Amino acid sequence: MSASLDSGLPRPPRTTRRQLAELRGPATPPRPLDARALAALAANPGCRRRALLDGAGVDKSALAAKLGSPAPFGQSQFAIVRGNSFEAKVKADGGRELLRLIGVEEPGAVSVPDLAAAGPEGRVARTALALREATDAGAWSLLDHPLLALEVAGSPAYLEPDAVVVRPDGGWTVVEIKSFPMVDGAADASKVGAAARQAAVYVLALEGVAARTEGARVAQSVLLVCPKDFSNVPTASVVDVRKQRSVTRRQLARLTRIDEIAQALPEGTSFDVAERSAEELTAAVESVPHQYAPECLAACELAFHCRSRSRETGAVETLGRSVRGELGGLTTVGAVLAAARGEEGDPRDPAVAALRRARALRQEALAAGSGGVACR
């Protein structure tokens, strides 16, 4: 039995996938949620705005531009071309260079299964089958750009690592290929950290497949392949990602389910950049709670819009998470200044007492520097 619009029966609930498609615009293809975005999302799990927009596949760069706060950052075309060129070199000739770094001198002894399939679900299933077959065979196998699935806040995310190596003993190792140099055996710590957080997401997704594969185990370290010194010769380093995996898993588990966030939106909310005006998009974005922090500037395309709104409201989050934590119940810059001047706040509050003490020290220093005349 079906329910018509005027039958008086409750309408069937919309599926999450359909609702998310309506939010981004039915004619707009979803942007894939990759491992880099997931790592950034895990670093700020309290931001419902990013969780919803990423889950719905909204193009945040286009959205930020229409809101008047475009993000002036991103990977350059030159860096993308350089990275693709280096990855092609590492995987050329049946992956000879990559296999050499792993310790396999003869590429002919390694199988490279075909992972082609229709649609992301088909590719995920084909990858899982190839992993099981390689594990059962008890031989070396190299999976080039496998596709993995990971549930994030109730919505599937499809992830594509550069490669996964299956060892004869059933061990699975994620391979991450980057174009930044490894000089004298060490690379830039911040870049290695970002690569480790990204690879940890792949490890989590791979563990889901391993749990359903007898004899399989996922290595808690990944193989990071980079150019040696300032050449184009590949070299590798083993990076332990146990810490990043644990943090990412815990943070992703804290995310509110996307369907719960979507259900709380006002009727008619849409992030359709092509069809909605800047005013309508602004109202839609502001209807979703956010949690801005300065770290967002390097990881989220909407960061400049959120920073502007946080500054307008005087939110102390604009000063950083550590400062926000120290200020306790003082949530705005105005409240902080008023507490420091003694106009508001409980003097027994440690944060208020520290602010008043800091202001007194500042006045003493200014008075000493101006010849005994106190400055206000």
Side-chain angles (χ1 to χ4, degrees):
M1 180 177 63
S2 62
S4 64
L5 292 179
D6 56 352
S7 65
L9 296 175
R11 297 180 64 182
R14 293 175 296 177
T15 63
T16 300
R17 179 174 296 185
R18 178 183 173 187
Q19 188 174 13
L20 294 180
E22 291 175 356
L23 285 174
R24 75 170 174 271
T28 305
R31 285 186 67 88
L33 185 59
D34 59 17
R36 184 174 299 177
L38 272 184
L41 184 58
N44 190 9
C47 186
R48 294 191 169 196
R49 181 176 294 173
R50 172 153 195 168
L52 178 65
L53 293 175
D54 282 346
V58 175
D59 185 344
K60 298 196 299 297
S61 293
L63 178 59
K66 193 146 186 182
L67 293 175
S69 303
F73 67 89
Q75 194 173 18
S76 69
Q77 191 63 35
F78 172 76
I80 294 173
V81 172
R82 182 181 60 187
N84 292 339
S85 174
F86 180 68
E87 181 177 343
K89 176 179 175 59
V90 172
K91 294 180 178 178
D93 194 16
R96 180 179 293 273
E97 287 290 341
L98 175 57
L99 296 171
R100 177 185 61 80
L101 295 172
I102 296 171
V104 181
E105 296 296 336
E106 182 49 56
V110 180
S111 65
V112 183
D114 182 8
L115 302 179
E121 293 88 352
R123 288 188 59 197
V124 168
R126 182 67 188 91
T127 295
L129 178 60
L131 287 167
R132 285 194 293 270
E133 291 176 343
T135 304
D136 292 340
W140 288 96
S141 184
L142 173 64
L143 277 67
D144 184 8
H145 282 290
L147 194 67
L148 307 169
L150 182 67
E151 184 176 298
V152 180
S155 182
Y158 297 105
L159 311 169
E160 188 174 352
D162 293 326
V164 171
V165 173
V166 179
R167 299 176 177 273
D169 61 359
W172 300 353
T173 301
V174 172
V175 178
E176 189 70 4
I177 301 174
K178 297 295 184 183
S179 60
F180 55 80
M182 194 175 294
V183 181
D184 293 333
D188 182 270
S190 63
K191 294 181 179 179
V192 173
R197 290 188 293 273
Q198 182 177 342
V201 178
Y202 298 137
V203 170
L204 281 174
L206 202 58
E207 286 177 343
V209 185
R212 302 185 298 272
T213 305
E214 185 177 354
R217 54 183 179 81
V218 181
Q220 299 299 294
S221 58
V222 301
L223 189 70
L224 178 63
V225 180
C226 300
K228 183 178 181 180
D229 297 327
F230 299 101
S231 68
N232 204 34
V233 177
T235 188
S237 176
V238 176
V239 179
D240 190 332
V241 297
R242 285 176 295 181
K243 179 180 178 181
Q244 290 85 352
R245 172 197 167 278
S246 297
V247 171
T248 301
R249 183 176 184 177
R250 183 172 63 251
Q251 297 291 64
L252 290 179
R254 290 177 53 198
L255 288 173
T256 304
R257 291 184 62 87
I258 293 174
D259 53 355
E260 295 178 14
I261 303 174
Q263 289 169 7
L265 296 177
E267 189 68 26
T269 299
S270 174
F271 304 100
D272 191 342
V273 177
E275 298 295 332
R276 298 300 177 106
S277 65
E279 292 74 18
E280 290 174 316
L281 290 172
T282 299
V285 168
E286 293 305 313
S287 69
V288 189
H290 74 287
Q291 192 171 76
Y292 170 78
E295 293 85 351
C296 297
L297 294 173
C300 181
E301 295 87 339
L302 277 179
F304 291 89
H305 173 82
C306 298
R307 182 181 66 174
S308 175
R309 291 295 186 267
S310 294
R311 286 177 171 176
E312 289 176 5
T313 60
V316 295
E317 282 81 1
T318 57
L319 304 176
R321 289 195 180 99
S322 60
V323 176
R324 175 67 186 90
E326 292 290 339
L327 292 174
L330 302 173
T331 59
T332 66
V333 175
V336 170
L337 295 177
R341 292 191 294 263
E343 299 170 357
E344 296 180 9
D346 186 350
R348 295 171 297 179
D349 185 336
V352 174
L355 287 169
R356 292 179 182 177
R357 176 60 178 159
R359 182 172 184 270
L361 291 173
R362 176 179 180 275
Q363 288 181 319
E364 291 178 10
L366 291 175
S370 59
V373 179
C375 297
R376 293 184 180 272

